Amino acid sequence: MARNDGIDRTFARNQDLPTLDDVAKVQEHNEREKDSYSNQDIDTTQTYRNIHFKAPTDSYAAMFDQMIADGVISTRGLKADAVKYGELIFDVNSAYFHNHGGYEYAKQFYTDAYKAAAEIVGGEQYILSAVMHADERNRAMSEALGQDVYHYHLHVVYVPVVEKQILWSKRCKDKSLVGTVKETIMQVSRSKKWESKVALDEQGNPLLTSKGKKVLRTSYSVLQDDFFNYTKAAGYTDVERGERGSTEEHLTVTQFKVAQEQQRLEDVTAQIAQTEQALDTAQAAVEKKHKELQSLQKQAKEQRTAALTVQEIRSMGKKTITGNTTLTPSECNTLKDYAVNGILAKAENSRLEEKLQQAQKSVAVWKQRYELLKEQARPYLEAVKLAPEKVRAFLDAILTRTRQTKQHDQPSRRKSQDMEL
């Protein structure tokens, strides 16, 4: 799995196929026998680009039975529940092929990888099927580059065998033959095929622990080494070996893809976290503007209530015989006060109306920003509904790493500032 460190790495994985049901499922996937797939990364319009370096002549199980009938392999002494099938998956991160020209380069690379597979399993005759998949999109890279990028990899289904010598037993009539080799068979044996090997030093001597026990190299580690060495020998010198001690050596195809998606989800979640924070800020700003608007509306209402109404003005004073209107001193003073208040209220109303219009415009802007941010955050909100604990866990992990990074950087910045002083 890509580490985002600019280094291209080879990966070789072996997985057992314990049951015939497992074998059938792998056959369906590898040979693209289904009309549709739950894996949305499989682009069936590109399946024609898949390349068989060895195409199956029948079902995997039927081919296995035929190999027994032809004497190519033997199940002599094999337990009923023994593992009889295996699958090798050879892989390099998608960016490696994309940067080297894509499909044509991948074809050549996996042509050489198939030769390595034939040596690893002991011979091409023990391979049931070998197919390079070129129809599985790398979703993350495709979205990042704005074009379809495919993840090229090789599936090799095989029968694990080891050479076994059958000796003449004591029941042999010719006693001179007892203990000598009667026949050599290729025995089906997953455990012996992938048994751990003794680690050697530079002089070829076994490495020992502090207690004098031999250090063993796991079969999966040996597989990684073998594939890496084959690629180097074939001229692919710009790739590195898959990381030692990594759980990638033990991942199945499905687990490997899940791990890739989890890495991608972490990256996307980090972006969504920023969007969510901006969304919260925008929502708070909208609420604040609404409160300001309500306050302004209340002030305007109070000012209008305080102003003298037309009816109150008309009811003041008494008409004289000459047609004039006389006011009492009290009414005159009241009218003057109302006149002053009315002028002040008018000015204040004008100012408040202007602020009200500005606030309404501001609310509209923030509302628009809020809706935009809400739409951007929709994938995150849907993810929260589907798997809230998982998404929150990712966010917590990202925020924790961010705080730790900041805390780590602060002493360095203070030290730098001290040096400047």
Side-chain angles (χ1 to χ4, degrees), residues 4 16 32 80 82 104 108 127 136 145 162 180 218 238 240 305 309 314 347 360 365 398:
N4 297 322
D16 297 332
R32 296 297 193 248
E104 293 300 327
Q108 183 57 54
I127 294 177
E136 294 186 33
L145 298 178
V162 293
T180 61
T218 64
D238 53 352
E240 298 294 335
T305 302
T309 65
R314 286 178 176 174
Q360 288 173 332
V365 170
I398 292 167

Side-chain angles (χ1 to χ4, degrees), residues 52 74 143 198 233 253 284 309 348 352 389 407:
H52 272 93
S74 173
E143 292 176 359
V198 177
V253 174
T309 65
E348 181 65 12
L352 290 174
E389 294 181 0
Q407 291 173 356

Side-chain angles (χ1 to χ4, degrees), residues 32-221:
R32 296 297 193 248
E33 295 177 345
K34 298 169 67 176
D35 295 328
S36 61
Y37 298 87
S38 58
N39 181 359
Q40 297 180 355
D41 293 332
I42 296 177
D43 182 358
T44 54
T45 65
Q46 299 298 311
T47 298
Y48 73 93
R49 300 202 307 161
N50 292 351
I51 298 175
H52 272 93
F53 298 107
K54 183 172 183 180
T57 56
D58 206 330
S59 71
Y60 295 168
M63 291 175 67
F64 182 91
D65 292 339
Q66 187 61 49
M67 290 169 71
I68 294 176
D70 294 341
V72 178
I73 59 175
S74 173
T75 57
R76 188 185 305 181
L78 204 63
K79 294 181 180 179
D81 59 349
V83 176
K84 305 180 185 69
Y85 301 82
E87 181 182 30
L88 295 172
I89 302 98
F90 298 100
D91 199 359
V92 182
N93 49 290
S94 301
Y96 177 70
F97 296 114
H98 180 75
N99 294 334
H100 284 76
Y103 180 67
E104 293 300 327
Y105 189 83
K107 279 201 303 185
Q108 183 57 54
F109 181 91
Y110 285 118
T111 297
D112 294 324
Y114 173 66
K115 296 175 184 177
E119 287 194 42
I120 289 170
V121 302
E124 193 175 17
Q125 64 271 32
Y126 307 116
I127 294 177
L128 303 177
S129 172
V131 58
M132 181 190 90
H133 280 171
D135 59 355
E136 294 186 33
R137 291 177 72 250
N138 182 314
R139 194 185 313 175
M141 281 191 66
S142 297
E143 292 176 359
L145 298 178
Q147 66 182 84
D148 285 334
V149 177
Y150 291 89
H151 182 66
Y152 305 109
H153 53 282
L154 176 65
H155 293 267
V156 180
V157 179
Y158 68 99
V159 179
V161 295
V162 293
E163 185 179 284
K164 183 178 181 179
Q165 293 180 336
I166 306 298
L167 305 180
W168 286 98
S169 68
K170 294 180 180 180
R171 289 177 293 179
C172 178
K173 293 181 179 180
D174 187 347
K175 299 304 178 182
S176 64
L177 295 177
V178 175
T180 61
V181 177
K182 178 181 180 181
E183 62 177 319
T184 300
I185 63 172
M186 297 307 295
Q187 184 185 48
V188 177
S189 176
R190 181 265 176 208
S191 59
K192 292 180 181 178
K193 175 66 180 176
W194 293 108
E195 63 183 358
S196 298
K197 297 181 180 180
V198 177
L200 304 177
D201 60 19
E202 295 179 355
Q203 287 73 40
N205 299 317
L207 291 174
L208 303 177
T209 66
S210 58
K211 296 182 178 180
K213 293 184 178 180
K214 293 179 180 180
V215 176
L216 298 179
R217 294 171 60 212
T218 64
S219 57
Y220 296 108
S221 180

Side-chain angles (χ1 to χ4, degrees), residues 2 17 23-24 92 100 125 139 161 298 317-318 327 333 342 359 365 370 405:
L17 305 177
V23 174
V92 182
H100 284 76
Q125 64 271 32
R139 194 185 313 175
V161 295
K298 183 178 179 181
K318 293 181 180 180
L327 299 172
N333 291 332
V365 170
Y370 173 77
T405 302

